Amino acid sequence: MIHLQGITKSYTTGAQSLQVLKGVDLRVEAGELVAIMGSSGSGKSTLLNILGLLDAYDGGQYQLDGRDMAGLSERRAAEMRREMLGFVFQSFNLINFKSAAENVSLPLYYQQVPRKERTRRAHELLDRVGLLDWADHLPSQLSGGQKQRVAIARALAAKPRVILADEPTGALDSSTSEDVMVLLKELNAEGMTMVVVTHENEIARACGRTIRLRDGLVETGMDVGA
């Protein structure tokens, strides 16, 4: 599903250039639940942005579902994101003035799905994550765990092939984190491919495999089963 070979990425600030990724090789097969770990500055957020087609890479090869991601236009990258990828963020990224159902249905709006079908699908997904009774509530009326469940439902709305989660439990307490990981594991058991960036060992252990980054490279011998 995901195959990276020799991926490099640098950022230039003024006269200085910082190489963040130095030749990353990794593979994630369809149906896997993989954790990516690494200390601050190891390159894991940059790597996730590249996987999500939110940032370009300088060198190497990235294949997503057998398709080469090199040189995509912004329009084509957006199309691939809508077709293939769902995103879950630490900060939830919900729209405060829209209800839970409206937040979930937003990706379908951009796909020009009719309103009635958007609402039906949003309610179906909120039911799936245990929040149907909260469909008309605003984010400000939800707990952190509920917000993350809404965000997961939104990530599923367009029926992606891969979920990319950036510290999905980072803003939650330990009990709520466990509940969210149970949900993610249930979705994975149904066949959803997932990549989870985390700094928490407990979350990584809940995944099927852990890839560890250090100084812009996958640590040798550290792409291992959980």
Side-chain angles (χ1 to χ4, degrees), residues 3 12 22 24 27 32 35 118 159 171 185 194 224:
H3 183 202
T12 300
K22 303 174 182 178
V24 169
R27 184 184 291 271
E32 277 200 284
R118 293 201 308 265
K159 299 182 179 179
K185 290 185 73 173
M194 293 188 179
V224 297

Side-chain angles (χ1 to χ4, degrees), residues 169-185:
T169 63
L172 307 176
D173 61 45
S174 58
S175 176
T176 309
S177 295
E178 184 175 339
D179 291 342
V180 167
M181 280 308 300
V182 167
L183 174 58
L184 292 178
K185 290 185 73 173

Side-chain angles (χ1 to χ4, degrees), residues 104-105 108 113 116-126 156-160:
V104 172
S105 67
L108 302 177
V113 174
K116 187 175 180 179
E117 175 61 16
R118 293 201 308 265
T119 301
R120 186 199 68 79
R121 178 70 175 151
H123 284 186
E124 179 183 278
L125 287 166
L126 286 170
L156 295 170
K159 299 182 179 179

Side-chain angles (χ1 to χ4, degrees), residues 6 39 77 81 125 153 168 170 187 191 215:
S39 61
R81 285 194 296 271
L125 287 166
L187 295 168
D215 296 330

Side-chain angles (χ1 to χ4, degrees), residues 67 92 109 187 202 205:
R67 287 175 278 187
F92 318 127
Y109 171 82
L187 295 168
E202 295 82 0
R205 281 195 291 268

Side-chain angles (χ1 to χ4, degrees), residues 143-207:
S143 68
Q146 288 172 325
K147 290 177 185 177
Q148 195 58 290
R149 285 173 176 269
V150 172
I152 291 168
R154 180 187 57 193
L156 295 170
K159 299 182 179 179
R161 301 281 304 280
V162 180
I163 294 289
L164 301 175
D166 189 4
E167 301 281 6
T169 63
L172 307 176
D173 61 45
S174 58
S175 176
T176 309
S177 295
E178 184 175 339
D179 291 342
V180 167
M181 280 308 300
V182 167
L183 174 58
L184 292 178
K185 290 185 73 173
E186 288 175 356
L187 295 168
N188 172 249
E190 295 170 5
M192 179 66 67
T193 305
M194 293 188 179
V195 179
V196 178
V197 164
T198 183
H199 67 276
E200 300 175 65
N201 288 319
E202 295 82 0
I203 300 303
R205 281 195 291 268
C207 298

